[in-house]
Amino acid sequence: MKKQQELEPSIGSVPDSALRFVGFLSFFDRYGTAPMLVALSLGTSLSFAQAVQMIASYALFYAIGQPIWGVLSDRFGRLAILRAALTGAGLSAIASILFTGFTPLLIARSLTGLLFGALYPTLMTLLGDTRTGVERARGLSDLQIYSSLGTTLATLASGAVATYVDWRLVFALPAFGCAAALFSLRKVAEPAHSRAGFNFRAAVRPMNLALYAIVFLEGGLLMGPLTYIVPALQESGVEIGLAGALGCAFALGVILGARLMRKLVARFSRTWLIGGGGLLLSVAFLPSALFPSPASYTVTAFFLGPRTRSCTHRCRGGPPTSPPTRGLLPFPCSFSPFSRALL
């Protein structure tokens, strides 16, 4: 009975179904635009370069909002920020459907990125506030799995939907998803947590700064190329549906990497895992750099998967922070897409 109670989510905890769905939704929108770059340039007044700029702006605002959301969630509560972000993201996604010109779409997608950027790190912090031990590990694992499923479905389907149906549908789906997520959270109460003022000194401790720097650099190297895997496949002559399927090699790598990581963390120190992960990252990029082709791009996508899993594990296992700065801990993992905006 005691063991069963330990596995039960605490009062104020986000239900598992809502946790999984919001994790799925945040990554579906995040990775849903890149595979339809060509369709966007053909179905709107945007050029291909402008479509790329729109994705870069989404990533930029996704990133710069991270420390703001972290501080606000520490001050006003995790669920309050989560609900506000879902509401705003849904409205911004609807606005994205209404425009075809570059400037209005750029503004709408930038706002969407800013608001969707709050979801994943706030969920991670909320889990830290409301769950412990095995219960917390299970929640984080669920979040990882369903966010990977969101990435997979976005990579696989968004380009084909935009090409054969309508690009607006890809933006409409997250809007409906936001409404569904808000409905699933309607009975969840704000969990109790310390709302002390922001402790800047605690946030910039040397160990925390080292973690931020490593994950920021690594995230940029991971997420930058990943964003353009499917467009690169299309550019090399692969049909849009097949390009999306080949791009899903990344998700396969994430799943296999998650299983492998469970075994490696018990045998090797974090330092060895960092070094081995860097070597794996080199292996991922080498084929595409030397022999650019659909096959090499697929190999790169596959090997980026387990490296992404390792990056997330390190962020989870980083140095602890005091309660006033806990909302900032997940921010470097989610801030890393900013690096890809500069590529």
Side-chain angles (χ1 to χ4, degrees):
M1 177 67 69
K2 183 178 179 180
K3 184 175 181 181
Q4 183 176 359
Q5 289 176 347
E6 289 178 354
L7 295 176
E8 290 295 326
S10 60
I11 296 174
S13 176
V14 176
D16 285 341
S17 58
L19 170 78
R20 295 163 182 165
F21 181 70
V22 176
F24 173 91
L25 179 66
S26 64
F27 274 62
F28 179 88
D29 188 80
R30 179 170 159 183
Y31 290 102
T33 308
M36 61 176 193
L37 278 173
V38 175
L40 269 176
S41 62
L42 294 176
T44 66
S45 60
L46 275 63
S47 66
F48 186 83
Q50 288 175 328
V52 171
Q53 290 175 34
M54 189 178 69
I55 292 181
S57 182
Y58 179 105
L60 173 62
F61 278 85
Y62 186 104
I64 62 177
Q66 296 297 311
I68 300 173
W69 294 124
V71 173
L72 289 177
S73 71
D74 279 333
R75 179 66 183 86
F76 297 105
R78 321 297 187 203
L79 273 173
I81 294 301
L82 191 61
R83 289 185 174 115
L86 282 167
T87 301
L91 293 175
S92 298
I94 292 173
S96 302
I97 303 171
L98 303 178
F99 304 111
T100 58
F102 174 62
T103 301
L105 261 179
L106 182 68
I107 294 172
R109 294 311 295 168
S110 297
L111 286 174
T112 306
L114 178 67
L115 292 158
F116 265 104
L119 302 185
Y120 193 81
T122 302
L123 280 178
M124 289 183 69
T125 311
L126 193 57
L127 281 171
D129 287 341
T130 58
R131 303 189 185 189
T132 59
V134 175
E135 176 188 318
R136 179 188 294 176
R138 185 185 66 181
L140 288 171
S141 179
D142 282 350
L143 194 56
Q144 172 79 29
I145 291 170
Y146 280 84
S147 63
S148 297
L149 288 174
T151 303
T152 302
L153 186 59
T155 304
L156 181 64
S158 62
V161 169
T163 301
Y164 300 121
V165 184
D166 196 310
W167 60 269
R168 293 177 180 83
L169 182 58
V170 179
F171 292 154
L173 291 175
F176 288 115
C178 287
L182 284 168
F183 182 79
S184 70
L185 295 172
R186 68 193 185 283
K187 294 182 180 179
V188 182
E190 182 72 50
H193 75 281
S194 172
R195 298 192 184 186
F198 175 63
N199 189 338
F200 180 78
R201 183 175 298 178
V204 295
R205 288 172 179 165
M207 287 300 294
N208 286 343
L209 289 177
L211 174 67
Y212 300 160
I214 290 172
V215 178
F216 176 84
L217 175 62
E218 189 175 43
L221 292 172
L222 286 167
M223 301 303 179
L226 178 62
T227 303
Y228 300 106
I229 288 290
V230 173
L233 286 165
Q234 291 179 253
E235 185 67 21
S236 63
V238 178
E239 189 267 335
I240 179 62
L242 180 58
L246 292 176
C248 288
F250 167 76
L252 178 61
V254 169
I255 294 170
L256 295 179
R259 298 193 174 208
L260 180 62
M261 186 58 63
R262 292 194 189 102
K263 299 179 180 179
L264 294 181
V265 292
R267 299 183 181 182
F268 298 97
S269 69
R270 202 168 291 154
T271 303
W272 279 100
L273 291 176
I274 291 173
L279 179 61
L280 183 61
L281 198 58
S282 300
V283 171
F285 291 143
L286 203 58
S288 294
L290 297 179
F291 311 102
S293 67
S296 63
Y297 298 151
T298 305
V299 170
T300 295
F302 174 79
F303 280 108
L304 287 177
R307 196 66 195 100
T308 302
R309 179 62 181 88
S310 173
C311 177
T312 305
H313 168 79
R314 179 154 52 262
C315 186
R316 293 174 186 171
T321 60
S322 60
T325 62
R326 189 180 296 151
L328 287 178
L329 183 58
F331 130 71
C333 282
S334 301
F335 189 85
S336 60
F338 171 66
S339 298
R340 84 180 178 208
L342 302 179
L343 295 178

